[in-house]
């Protein structure tokens, strides 16, 4: 009797391999989703830190006040909703009012991020890099969808000297 040598996989072997692969993907997906969420918060936090530091640096460099404010619906002026993005501008002519020609940077909004700014609609720095009014500011951001006890919240504090600090915290 002649034996034939088969090359390849049988249908049963292929289905078992696909089934094991599907189970492994289902086990890994929740942790991968949390990693993506954490990465989004980290990216948004770094962008916020860079934006506030840019405004402070512009105030020191230009010897005029600098502001970070939320964009309006059209993105061409200051508004009241921080989730629509931000504008960094300097008051070069000293009139204390926003003018489109004074914009230094337009910051696009981050998707999947929730911002909590309290009751202030503007972060301003004087020509010496101190916040205006001369008081400390605090605000936070976190993922829109949070897993319990996940450290996907960032708390920001701007002290009276204008230094910005950021700490990680558990989602609320």
């Amino acid at each position: 009797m002649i034996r034939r040598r088969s090359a390849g996989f049988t249908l049963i072997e292929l289905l078992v391999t696909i089934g094991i692969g599907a189970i492994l993907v289902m086990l890994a997906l929740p942790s991968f989703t949390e990693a993506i969420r954490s990465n989004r918060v980290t990216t948004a936090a770094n962008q916020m830190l860079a934006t506030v530091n840019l405004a402070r640096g512009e105030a020191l460099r230009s010897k005029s006040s600098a502001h970070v404010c939320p964009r309006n619906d059209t993105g061409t002026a200051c508004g009241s909703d921080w989730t629509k993005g931000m504008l960094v501008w300097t008051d070069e002519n000293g009139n204390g009012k926003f003018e489109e020609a004074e914009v230094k940077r337009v910051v696009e909004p981050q998707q999947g991020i929730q911002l909590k700014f309290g009751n202030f609609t503007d972060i301003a720095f004087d020509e010496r890099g101190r916040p205006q009014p001369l008081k400390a500011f605090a605000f936070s951001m976190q993922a829109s969808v949070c897993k319990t006890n996940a450290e996907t919240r960032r708390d920001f504090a701007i002290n009276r000297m204008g230094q910005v600090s950021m700490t990680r915290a558990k989602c609320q």
Side-chain angles (χ1 to χ4, degrees), residues 6 56 100 136 159:
S6 69
R56 184 172 186 249
E100 200 169 347
N159 67 17

Side-chain angles (χ1 to χ4, degrees), residues 3-151:
R3 291 191 96 163
R4 294 178 92 195
R5 222 180 134 126
S6 69
F9 299 104
T10 65
L11 183 59
I12 300 284
E13 290 172 331
L14 182 62
L15 290 175
V16 168
T17 305
I18 290 173
I20 291 172
I23 290 170
L24 291 175
V25 167
M26 287 185 349
L27 291 174
L29 194 60
S31 64
F32 185 66
T33 303
E34 189 59 33
I36 290 173
R37 189 175 296 131
S38 177
N39 190 31
R40 281 186 183 155
V41 171
T42 300
T43 301
N46 288 338
Q47 182 182 42
M48 177 62 75
L49 199 57
T51 300
V52 173
N53 282 327
L54 171 70
R56 184 172 186 249
E58 284 294 318
L60 291 166
R61 185 192 62 76
S62 67
K63 296 294 183 202
S64 62
S65 66
H67 303 258
V68 178
C69 66
R71 290 170 45 186
N72 65 0
D73 291 330
T74 62
T76 57
C78 290
S80 59
D81 186 3
W82 291 92
T83 60
K84 293 182 179 172
M86 295 172 278
L87 298 172
V88 177
W89 60 281
T90 55
D91 188 18
E92 294 168 0
N93 58 11
N95 67 357
K97 297 178 183 174
F98 173 85
E99 293 178 14
E100 200 169 347
E102 297 174 327
V103 172
K104 299 299 179 198
R105 180 167 295 165
V106 177
V107 180
E108 295 299 322
Q110 294 282 340
Q111 300 301 318
I113 301 295
Q114 198 175 46
L115 300 166
K116 296 179 183 176
F117 274 87
N119 60 357
F120 57 96
T121 58
D122 179 90
I123 301 171
F125 295 97
D126 67 9
E127 69 278 353
R128 295 174 73 189
R130 298 176 302 189
Q132 293 298 315
L134 194 56
K135 66 176 186 172
F137 289 96
F139 54 94
S140 66
M141 69 171 48
Q142 69 182 27
S144 297
V145 177
C146 285
K147 191 175 182 181
T148 307
N149 291 330
E151 286 193 350

